[in-house]
Amino acid sequence: MSDSEESVAGETPAADPEPIEDAEAEANKIRERATDAERRRESRAVASARFEALGSMDGRLSLTANTVIFGSTQVGTLIGRDNYGGGSGAGFERSGQVEPRKLRDLEQIFVPPPKFEQLCDRLGSQSVLLLRAPKGWGRTATALRALSRQCASGVHKLSPDAELRSLDIEFDRCTGYLFDTPHSQQLRTLSEFHLEQLGRRLVEVESRLIVVVDDQAELSPDAGPFVLDVGEPADVTAILRKHLLRQLAEDDLGVLSRLEVAALLSMVEEHRPSAHELVNLAARLVDVAVGRIDIDEMVGRYAAAEDNRFRQWFDELDTDTRPFAIALAVFNNMPLHIVSEAGRALASSIVDAEALDGAGSGQTVFGVRSTELLSRAQAQLYRSHEDTLYGRITVYAVRFVDERFPQRLLEYAWQEYPAAHQLVRDWLRELGGSDDLRASTRAGVAVGLLSTFEFEYARRLVIEPWADSGQRHDQYAAIGALQFSSLQPELAPLVAEMLEAWVQPTQPMARRVTATAALGSTVGQLMPDRALRLLRRSARSSDPDLRDAVCYSMIELFSSRELDVRVLRDLRRWTVSRRRGVRYTGFLCILQLSFDLVAETVGGVEPWPRLVWLADQSDEHRDHIVVLFARLMQAPYFPPAAYAEIKRWVQIAERDPQFRGPLGRLLVDLETVDQNDGMVPFHLREWAGEDGGPRAAVDELLTMLDAKQGV
């Protein structure tokens, strides 16, 4: 391949400025950096954290379906999610016998959730069950339907003040009992002993009891055998269809197939509406079907009601919950300890700021229990996993019930509370330097969201200080902050001009490194021509941090399917450049692409190197990859790095026989292109002769090479 392949507009090839005697030492350092496992782990963690952070604030909010009530409705029927809605006197709020008429109505329109039959089976063999589900899930209706199926003499609703531990309740024969208490203290003390005693009393009279439990309620530690977690709720569309059949003719049900309605229902189903919402939604759909209101009017009313509800919810949060909710907006779906610590740091800043005005009240360590805080913040705990330096562990993570809250909450707080701007800005800037990569990246993405309202302030006061600090986590935060800005049509040109200025050799090295690493993210993927031109400019440097930043961005661009061939094509030009810096940076990128990126395969024992996998999938990829690796194998000082990577491939093939075919086909092509005839088989035999060497893989690979030579 000739040097003409490097032609780039505006660049005149130049001789290497560095002494040639330093080239070997430089190549050795490149090899060490390329295969550094800690660097790869960190790069993957940052990319994953940024992807998750952007995903948690994805898209603009327009509608939601939590607790919107349009006023008095005349639907008057229970629709399978919770209590009756509608007219006066409807519902199961009173204690005592549930009217048989209401149970019959429920049977006609009830849509069972996926775990309903499991609930009925458990109730058949177990006289007491704690049914755990979030508010609005439909737990009351589900419990009533299960009890009415099981118990021939009807269903009673116990008073919420009843004391189950007393065993003084008189149970009728063959009767189902429903207990829904707001008193969390009773649930915490309702132990296995009390539940067993209660169960014996019920068995004696052939009756059953379901205790409805909120998903955030704290239960006795030994109550587990009596608990049933309900899983997914009933299908929203099925519920509405059943309900509409009671109001409309079959021909009018086409309203559910309208595109506007389908989009609305998709959003409603995603966010677990309450019974009252579904009642009101069904009533509005009836109005749409018969022509009383227009669908656009319905959507507008729905959106306006949701907007009012959200504003009221946030404005009424107490001083403990509001900082927690803001922290959760930044760290949604992250471990509880990270959210809690960030929330307390923000609360402390608020207290300090208000103390200057004589309004501070101080914090208490044991002020609010977690269950209460989560309930007020409309959030929930769930089990997740966290990758640590020493392996994966189980953690409790926290998220908003409505996953669209993070973006909306930050936007609303910023627009409506300008006095909080500096405080929140300073809080996020501090979080950007967190020791936890995920936390620093999340803080950066949050600043990026807020920068769409005040880009210049965010740039000067937060993003540039992060970029200039020279600290890796600050730099990752700065990169995260540029994501949202680059997605805004009015800001994208400014971000592009800013990064072009930042990568200039006259800028501080820390700023150049930050800008170079940012070019592979959303910024560069939206302007690949400009990004690759700027990356080549940075590739001239021999500074190791700047080279790492170039390779980090090239890997990110390569990971975009639309740009992988383009990246390989540019690396072909880099690796024949007369500038040693560009050439060596190109070799570093090849090594890191091979070492860092993997492809999951069906039935594979372990992930394969993505370069080998791509070479076997596409002739176009194969041509570029063969040329690039052949150059690495032939370049002065780099064959040790190239063959070390090939050895790693062979070791994978030893563990995964399926990998041997694709690897063998690539090695055949490399052996054909390599000017050092016989070096690949020589190294294969040498590796096989080592203690514990990859003998089986080498035997198969040599057979493929010999067969090719005999053709």
Side-chain angles (χ1 to χ4, degrees):
M1 196 65 61
S2 68
D3 283 0
S4 63
E5 197 175 335
E6 80 156 337
S7 58
V8 176
E11 178 175 317
T12 302
D16 293 333
E18 301 90 346
I20 196 67
E21 58 267 18
D22 295 337
E24 184 173 5
E26 188 179 355
N28 289 335
K29 290 179 181 178
I30 284 176
R31 180 177 60 190
E32 292 173 5
R33 294 180 79 91
T35 56
D36 180 58
E38 178 59 24
R39 176 202 55 77
R40 176 171 65 172
R41 188 193 68 79
E42 183 175 293
S43 297
R44 288 180 175 178
V46 171
S48 176
R50 190 166 64 248
F51 177 80
E52 292 172 359
L54 289 169
S56 74
M57 297 182 191
D58 187 27
R60 298 287 173 178
L61 293 171
S62 57
L63 296 173
T64 190
N66 276 0
T67 53
V68 180
I69 301 176
F70 289 103
S72 180
T73 173
Q74 299 304 312
V75 176
T77 181
L78 180 130
I79 56 177
R81 300 282 283 200
D82 226 352
N83 289 343
Y84 280 89
S88 174
F92 293 103
E93 66 278 3
R94 294 186 299 273
S95 304
Q97 183 180 17
V98 179
E99 296 179 26
R101 173 185 59 81
K102 292 184 177 180
L103 293 176
R104 289 194 297 271
D105 288 343
L106 172 60
E107 182 178 2
Q108 291 177 15
I109 50 81
F110 179 72
V111 175
K115 279 192 173 182
F116 182 69
E117 291 303 324
Q118 180 182 344
L119 166 61
C120 293
D121 290 343
R122 284 278 299 272
L123 197 60
S125 59
Q126 193 171 338
S127 57
V128 180
L129 274 182
L130 306 184
L131 185 67
R132 184 157 56 189
K135 184 178 180 181
W137 181 92
R139 57 199 187 189
T140 302
T142 300
L144 288 169
R145 181 69 193 114
L147 288 168
S148 65
R149 271 183 47 171
Q150 186 72 31
C151 305
S153 297
V155 179
H156 278 69
K157 188 170 187 292
L158 296 176
S159 168
D161 296 322
E163 179 56 69
L164 296 182
R165 293 173 302 166
S166 70
L167 302 180
D168 290 335
I169 303 171
E170 293 294 332
F171 293 115
D172 295 332
R173 182 167 292 278
C174 300
T175 301
Y177 290 90
L178 176 68
F179 183 62
D180 186 356
T181 179
H183 303 310
S184 57
Q185 177 63 26
Q186 179 171 181
L187 295 175
R188 288 198 298 271
T189 58
L190 195 59
S191 67
E192 182 178 17
F193 170 79
H194 296 110
L195 290 167
E196 287 177 347
Q197 294 293 319
L198 192 61
R200 293 192 186 96
R201 290 281 308 281
L202 288 161
V203 167
E204 291 173 1
V205 293
E206 301 180 53
S207 294
R208 295 291 184 269
L209 168 67
I210 292 180
V211 180
V212 172
V213 176
D214 190 81
D215 63 333
Q216 300 294 338
E218 183 180 347
L219 302 177
S220 172
D222 59 1
F226 296 88
V227 177
L228 176 64
D229 289 304
V230 292
E232 292 299 311
D235 179 71
V236 167
T237 304
I239 292 170
L240 290 172
R241 179 175 292 276
K242 272 204 170 187
H243 177 73
L244 292 178
L245 277 172
R246 293 170 62 90
Q247 309 286 319
L248 301 170
E250 182 74 36
D251 294 343
D252 293 325
L253 291 183
V255 67
L256 292 175
S257 301
R258 294 182 58 170
L259 291 178
E260 304 95 325
V261 174
L264 177 61
L265 293 185
S266 176
M267 190 174 298
V268 168
E269 186 164 32
E270 183 179 355
H271 298 288
R272 293 187 172 182
S274 69
H276 291 298
E277 277 186 348
L278 285 177
V279 167
N280 281 280
L281 180 57
R284 299 289 80 79
L285 288 174
V286 170
D287 289 339
V288 170
V290 299
R292 282 195 290 267
I293 62 172
D294 182 74
I295 182 62
D296 292 335
E297 178 186 350
M298 173 188 170
V299 171
R301 292 170 66 181
Y302 206 83
E306 153 56 18
D307 189 56
N308 289 333
R309 184 207 63 79
F310 180 86
R311 289 168 176 268
Q312 182 179 4
W313 166 76
F314 183 82
D315 293 343
E316 292 179 354
L317 291 177
D318 58 44
T319 55
D320 290 298
T321 309
R322 186 176 289 123
F324 178 84
I326 294 173
L328 182 55
V330 176
F331 299 110
N332 196 43
N333 283 306
M334 289 191 68
L336 177 61
H337 68 89
I338 292 178
V339 181
S340 297
E341 289 172 10
R344 286 191 63 80
L346 179 58
S348 294
S349 298
I350 294 172
V351 168
D352 292 343
E354 292 180 342
L356 296 176
D357 299 327
S361 58
Q363 292 187 83
T364 58
V365 175
F366 297 103
V368 181
R369 300 174 67 248
S370 253
T371 51
E372 297 169 2
L373 192 63
L374 291 170
S375 178
R376 294 175 194 171
Q378 298 195 28
Q380 60 188 31
L381 280 179
Y382 65 99
R383 285 186 176 272
S384 182
H385 294 93
E386 185 172 359
D387 291 320
T388 72
L389 182 62
Y390 301 107
R392 172 167 286 196
I393 61 173
T394 300
V395 297
Y396 279 104
V398 60
R399 63 190 171 203
F400 283 112
V401 174
D402 186 333
E403 64 186 25
R404 293 169 296 174
F405 267 31
Q407 180 173 346
R408 181 163 198 174
L409 190 153
L410 291 176
E411 289 179 344
Y412 178 69
W414 204 253
Q415 291 171 321
E416 299 296 330
Y417 295 93
H421 285 192
Q422 181 177 346
L423 189 148
V424 172
R425 196 188 295 120
D426 291 346
W427 171 69
L428 288 171
R429 179 176 170 179
E430 186 71 22
L431 287 170
S434 168
D435 290 337
D436 191 308
L437 276 172
R438 299 164 302 168
S440 57
T441 302
R442 287 291 190 108
V445 171
V447 167
L449 170 62
L450 299 179
S451 76
T452 61
F453 299 103
E454 50 153 37
F455 180 75
E456 189 60 14
Y457 270 107
R459 178 187 68 80
R460 288 192 297 104
L461 299 177
V462 184
I463 300 175
E464 279 190 1
W466 275 340
D468 294 346
S469 75
Q471 301 299 313
R472 294 197 321 279
H473 291 207
D474 282 343
Q475 291 173 334
Y476 291 139
I479 296 169
L482 295 173
Q483 308 306 300
F484 263 94
S485 306
S486 64
L487 292 172
Q488 309 306 311
E490 68 277 11
L491 293 178
L494 299 179
V495 174
E497 291 297 325
M498 184 182 78
L499 291 180
E500 180 140 14
W502 282 13
V503 299
Q504 299 301 320
T506 56
Q507 294 291 312
M509 181 56 73
R511 185 177 294 190
R512 292 175 66 191
V513 169
T514 303
T516 301
L519 287 170
S521 58
T522 306
V523 184
Q525 291 169 23
L526 293 172
M527 52 171 199
D529 292 342
R530 194 171 195 170
L532 287 165
R533 174 174 59 81
L534 295 177
L535 287 170
R536 182 189 176 92
R537 179 179 299 170
S538 293
R540 299 172 185 174
S541 172
S542 60
D543 182 87
D545 290 332
L546 194 56
R547 272 186 173 157
D548 279 348
V550 171
C551 293
Y552 178 82
S553 282
M554 292 294 277
I555 289 172
E556 292 243 294
L557 294 174
F558 181 83
S559 298
S560 173
R561 286 188 176 182
E562 296 79 13
L563 297 175
D564 56 359
V565 171
R566 174 69 186 278
V567 169
L568 294 175
R569 190 181 300 126
D570 273 49
L571 287 176
R572 287 182 69 158
R573 289 196 289 268
W574 291 19
T575 51
V576 292
S577 173
R578 292 177 60 190
R579 292 182 180 271
R580 192 171 84 193
V582 175
R583 198 167 63 248
Y584 278 22
T585 303
F587 291 145
L588 176 62
C589 290
I590 297 166
L591 288 169
Q592 288 193 10
L593 283 170
S594 178
F595 186 72
D596 287 13
L597 299 183
V598 296
E600 298 285 350
T601 58
V602 178
V605 174
E606 62 182 280
W608 296 358
R610 195 182 302 178
L611 286 187
V612 181
W613 179 81
L614 277 173
D616 205 55
Q617 298 295 311
S618 159
D619 290 339
E620 185 176 21
H621 289 93
R622 186 182 196 81
D623 175 65
H624 293 308
I625 292 167
V626 168
V627 168
L628 287 170
F629 240 89
R631 287 179 183 170
L632 192 66
M633 295 162 66
Q634 297 163 8
Y637 315 116
F638 279 94
Y643 284 105
E645 184 61 8
I646 293 173
K647 181 179 181 180
R648 189 177 71 87
W649 296 350
V650 175
Q651 289 168 337
I652 294 172
E654 180 73 8
R655 298 187 295 270
D656 188 349
Q658 293 188 62
F659 184 51
R660 295 171 192 173
L663 176 57
R665 289 187 283 273
L666 178 59
L667 293 181
V668 165
D669 284 354
L670 285 174
E671 176 68 6
T672 302
V673 173
D674 188 11
Q675 296 173 0
N676 300 314
D677 288 343
M679 288 303 295
V680 172
F682 169 79
H683 282 289
L684 288 174
R685 294 186 180 95
E686 185 178 53
W687 299 332
E690 296 173 352
D691 289 341
R695 293 182 177 83
V698 166
D699 287 346
E700 196 166 330
L701 294 171
L702 287 173
T703 300
M704 296 179 70
L705 286 165
D706 292 341
K708 183 66 176 180
Q709 290 173 355
V711 175

